[in-house]
Amino acid sequence: NQADVIIANGGGYDSFITLLASAAEADDSVYQLIDGENHQSHEWDGSYENEHIWYDLEYMSAFVTEFGEYMGELVPENAELYTENAQALAGEINELDERNRAIEAEGMSYLATEAVSGFLLQDAGFEDLTELQFLSAVEHGDDVSPRLYQQALNVATGDEIDLLAYNPQTETNQSARIRQAAEDSGVSVLEFSETFPDGIDSYTEWMSENIS
């Protein structure tokens, strides 16, 4: 009710925010990171799409720049400040993106219990062996089917993957068993969270830790 700007991830993710804005008659105040006009590469069409775009560093750098311009249009007297801050932050994110891509993990693959880290890992060169139907079920808060669950267990315990990407914030009985199976098979497990972990104070610090 009091906000001049409402930032929404968009793409069907946390869609409640647009409903709240509409109820407050503030639709024009909503800035969506995913929309069909400005972000075609991540446009949501009702089917599965990885909407965790804050793990896409190239995308986030572009967002920061665009948002600085957007704020400058809203408050012209501060436009220069917004632009300078946006360019500085975009530069930091670009440096992280370069560092991540320099990992050059081509020839290595991973399985994910949830899609959150997908963009970061794929930009680092890892191949994603996770079934899209599996990820879609997890995103909708559903248990995956027995077939998909067994398939994930087989991948986790075989010799196909070098890494299991695990989100402890969305842990289920199924994901915990997949993690245990991977660890028992000697597969490396790395945790990637959906929101700031404890002790992390900024976005760039968070992404730097993920890359490390």
Side-chain angles (χ1 to χ4, degrees):
N1 285 318
Q2 300 177 33
D4 297 304
V5 179
I6 301 168
I7 306 173
N9 196 73
Y13 192 97
D14 287 347
S15 56
F16 71 88
I17 193 67
T18 51
L19 295 176
L20 289 176
S22 181
E25 298 182 350
D27 298 283
D28 293 341
S29 299
V30 177
Y31 185 98
Q32 297 207 44
L33 276 72
I34 305 177
D35 62 56
E37 181 179 352
N38 297 320
H39 306 290
Q40 293 289 341
S41 63
H42 294 287
E43 184 176 357
W44 184 69
D45 60 5
S47 60
Y48 171 75
E49 187 77 26
N50 186 356
E51 296 154 358
H52 303 90
I53 55 174
W54 54 98
Y55 270 84
D56 185 337
L57 297 173
E58 182 178 16
Y59 190 84
M60 291 304 290
S61 174
F63 156 65
V64 165
T65 302
E66 290 176 15
F67 189 68
E69 295 172 357
Y70 174 77
M71 289 299 297
E73 293 171 1
L74 287 183
V75 192
E77 61 269 28
N78 290 338
E80 184 176 353
L81 176 63
Y82 293 142
T83 298
E84 290 176 357
N85 287 342
Q87 289 176 345
L89 180 54
E92 292 180 36
I93 297 172
N94 287 336
E95 290 177 4
L96 289 172
D97 188 33
E98 292 175 7
R99 182 177 144 210
N100 184 53
R101 292 176 188 275
I103 293 173
E104 296 183 346
E106 283 76 9
M108 304 184 77
S109 59
Y110 75 95
L111 175 72
T113 59
E114 198 253 2
V116 62
S117 59
F119 292 118
L120 193 73
L121 290 173
Q122 289 171 58
D123 286 344
F126 288 92
E127 179 185 3
D128 185 2
L129 298 186
T130 318
E131 285 286 340
L132 290 182
Q133 287 178 283
F134 180 99
L135 294 175
S136 180
V138 172
E139 286 302 292
H140 289 92
D142 302 325
D143 281 342
V144 300
S145 69
R147 177 185 66 83
L148 291 170
Y149 171 57
Q150 186 58 53
Q151 187 175 40
L153 278 176
N154 292 341
V155 174
T157 56
D159 57 3
E160 299 176 75
I161 60 169
D162 302 282
L163 172 69
L164 177 71
Y166 194 81
N167 181 359
Q169 295 176 329
T170 59
E171 185 172 79
T172 64
N173 289 334
Q174 288 181 328
S175 68
R177 287 195 290 268
I178 291 170
R179 175 177 186 155
Q180 188 62 58
E183 290 176 341
D184 291 345
S185 299
V187 174
S188 297
V189 177
L190 286 183
E191 293 187 353
F192 297 92
S193 60
E194 197 160 11
T195 58
F196 277 23
D198 291 340
I200 298 295
D201 298 320
S202 72
Y203 172 77
T204 50
E205 180 187 2
W206 181 25
M207 289 299 124
S208 179
E209 288 293 313
N210 283 322
I211 294 168
S212 294

